[in-house]
Amino acid sequence: MTGNAYGDGGAVRRLAAEARARTEELRGELLALSHAIHADPEPRFEEHAAAGRLRALLGAHGFTVEAGIGGLDTAFRATRDFGGEAGDGPTVAVFCEYDALPGLGHGCGHNVIAAAGAGAALAAAALMAERGSPGRLLVIGSPGEEGGGGKARLIDAGALDGVDAAVMAHAAGYDAVARTNLGRLSLEAVFTGRASHASAAPEGGRNALDAATLLLVAIGLLRQQTTPDSRIHARVAEGGQSINIIPERARVELFVRSLDSGYLRGRLLDAVRDCVRGAAIATGTSYTFDEVAPAYDPVLANPVLADLAAEAFGALGRPIPPGSGWAGPAGSTDMGNVSQLLPALHPYVCAVPGAALHTREFAAGAAGKEADAAVLDGGAMLAAVVTSLFTRPESLERAKAEFESATAGGGGRA
Ligand SMILES: [Zn+2]
Ligand SMILES: [Zn+2]
């Protein structure tokens, strides 16, 4: 318990060890929660059972719970005040995600996120009750992370007003304090052609599925002329209704991503729009091309919060050597939008060693032994960070100063 780079004399490490003892006491409740959510996967904005389970657990442990915040039925907020008068001290939010992937269950391990978030809140509450420092701890249940932009919607509804810092922990195949998540646009191209008998009068038709096919080919070729961090991927969501009718309607869903928000909204979006237009011209169809869900901003990692997380990880037997805890480009998360608004932490806790997210392997492992350890350690790690922000105001001030300097040029809003 000697000093470290943060000059806190090992305070975060001690908090992590104490928080881990708390999550151990809560083992039965936290793992039952994780397993129940895993066994009952609910897709975005349909997470009624998962949100209900989280609300019940937090309510039973002294949090004041509000269901359906921000106009989202499956969002919630749970609040506990410590020390002083209500509203004294900083406000820190812990996010819980709990939506599943259509057809793939909990292949993103959001059951682990939910249970670790609940464990963080309960452990931090126990630690805070012994310390007397003032502060307000929020647990924000943010639904629809898989494509629905729940956090973006909650931000728009004012759910983060007055919040000083926000944290969560994502499950992964490794431990890391941050990852380079990309900005993302959620788009849809709809082609409209003309129906006709596919054999008796094909010359009378205009084939919308052909337009979709050309679009996929065009973006495949476009990938050769984009920056290495760009991602363009699509699926044909509608492509005609009968083999014997020239398809008159085709719908293509697209995600377009980049680390650079200006490039994403500029050259990349323009080029994809040209692919859509070219496909329509070639097939004699008409088209619409729209954003259909909130854009996800790139994650702005906060080095102060990441260092606190690394300290806590280390105390939990998950060592993250300095400078090595940042994994390469990843997917996208609506936590990116939070990170462009206030100091935020989005680390990864190893739950299914070596497995990639959004795979059947990860879905199968997300309620296994290692995933259970990720719930208890992830919760303790976050509890240590949260309690540190409450009890050592200088860490929060440094996190805010880092955020201010990183966003001084306008940040990375997608
Ligand atoms: Zn995911
Ligand atoms: Zn996820």
Side-chain angles (χ1 to χ4, degrees), residues 127-140:
L127 267 53
M128 286 296 289
E130 294 166 354
R131 280 168 171 78
S133 306
R136 169 168 285 186
L137 177 57
L138 304 179
V139 182
I140 300 180

Side-chain angles (χ1 to χ4, degrees), residues 4-83:
N4 54 32
Y6 324 102
D8 71 351
V12 179
R13 299 181 73 88
R14 286 194 295 276
L15 284 172
E18 218 180 306
R20 185 61 180 78
R22 296 298 186 170
T23 58
E24 190 60 37
E25 288 166 14
L26 296 159
R27 165 183 283 268
E29 287 173 281
L30 297 177
L31 299 188
L33 174 69
S34 174
H35 297 172
I37 296 174
H38 185 268
D40 183 14
E42 300 165 298
R44 65 177 178 229
F45 301 129
E46 295 176 22
E47 318 93 327
H48 295 280
R53 289 186 165 102
L54 278 158
R55 292 197 311 264
L57 179 62
L58 293 162
H61 284 269
F63 281 76
T64 304
V65 179
E66 302 157 79
I69 63 164
L72 299 172
D73 285 349
T74 53
F76 70 86
R77 174 171 43 225
T79 307
R80 251 188 95 168
D81 291 310
F82 305 100

Side-chain angles (χ1 to χ4, degrees), residues 319-386:
I320 295 179
S324 71
W326 299 62
S332 308
T333 167
D334 57 9
M335 194 64 174
N337 301 48
V338 176
S339 77
Q340 299 288 345
L341 190 70
L342 45 85
L345 176 68
H346 189 264
Y348 293 82
V349 187
C350 185
V352 187
L357 294 171
H358 292 204
T359 60
R360 298 216 173 270
E361 185 189 1
F362 204 96
K369 240 180 106 184
E370 302 274 359
D372 290 350
V375 167
L376 303 178
D377 288 350
M381 179 272 297
L382 290 179
V385 173
V386 166

